[in-house]
Amino acid sequence: MLLKLELQFSLRGIVLKWFQSYLCDGIFQVFCNCSMSYTVHVTCSVPQGSVLGPQLFIMYTADLEEKADEHGVNYHAFADNTQLNEHCRYDDTQTAVGKLKYCVTDINHWMSAHCLSHSAEVGHTMLLIERFRSSAVFCGGSVDLEFAARQSS
């Protein structure tokens, strides 16, 4: 995260040092039933419940939009929810599904490389068909896009 803040967002000097002191070398303890747990040293973390947590997550995952652009797929994110979609003519359905499938695969690889995971059980795929213009919109998720293509055939 610190490297990303420096290289991608151009934070330097005292501002970067502030983030370093905020994110690195913390301790964690739990107080429960009048007793204190042992101390755990945390080398790098965003404190849970932190007001900076959502903003740092958005900054950390900023590369995902570039991944979607590389595949020519539309991208929308809000907090930790991401939507990928593709607009196409109905007869180009297979091409759109292929683009979304490869984009989701590429994003999954990026997430693994950056110590993130996705929740496959909350991923959704939708096919929206415009009745009079013979076009379709796919909103892809981390589910089986091949299944959506078979269903739309």
Side-chain angles (χ1 to χ4, degrees):
M1 184 71 211
L2 291 171
L3 192 59
K4 183 177 275 292
L5 290 172
E6 182 178 8
L7 298 178
Q8 191 170 354
F9 296 100
S10 301
L11 299 182
R12 293 188 173 44
I14 195 146
V15 174
L16 190 61
K17 287 182 191 275
W18 182 84
F19 273 102
Q20 183 176 9
S21 71
Y22 181 75
L23 296 171
C24 299
D25 300 322
I27 59 168
F28 180 77
Q29 283 184 301
V30 176
F31 184 75
C32 183
N33 293 332
C34 299
S35 63
M36 184 70 71
S37 70
Y38 59 90
T39 301
V40 175
H41 292 275
V42 182
T43 57
C44 191
S45 174
V46 175
Q48 188 172 358
S50 157
V51 292
L52 283 178
Q55 184 63 37
L56 288 171
F57 181 80
I58 290 168
M59 294 169 83
Y60 189 69
T61 59
D63 297 337
L64 292 180
E65 186 169 8
E66 291 175 22
K67 289 288 177 200
D69 286 344
E70 288 172 14
H71 292 275
V73 170
N74 299 310
Y75 172 88
H76 176 75
F78 180 76
D80 62 348
N81 294 309
T82 302
Q83 181 186 67
L84 303 169
N85 64 70
E86 176 66 10
H87 186 270
C88 69
R89 295 191 48 77
Y90 186 75
D91 50 339
D92 292 329
T93 299
Q94 295 297 331
T95 303
V97 169
K99 283 172 70 172
L100 283 167
K101 181 179 177 182
Y102 289 119
C103 184
V104 168
T105 299
D106 202 15
I107 285 175
N108 285 340
H109 289 138
W110 182 93
M111 291 177 71
S112 292
H114 290 83
C115 302
L116 295 172
S117 62
H118 71 280
S119 181
E121 57 272 1
V122 296
H124 303 285
T125 302
M126 257 190 310
L127 169 62
L128 307 172
I129 300 173
E130 291 184 53
R131 185 179 218 168
F132 300 106
R133 293 197 319 174
S134 295
S135 62
V137 177
F138 280 96
C139 301
S142 56
V143 296
D144 184 0
L145 294 175
E146 288 181 19
F147 177 75
R150 287 193 303 271
Q151 295 294 87
S152 65
S153 303

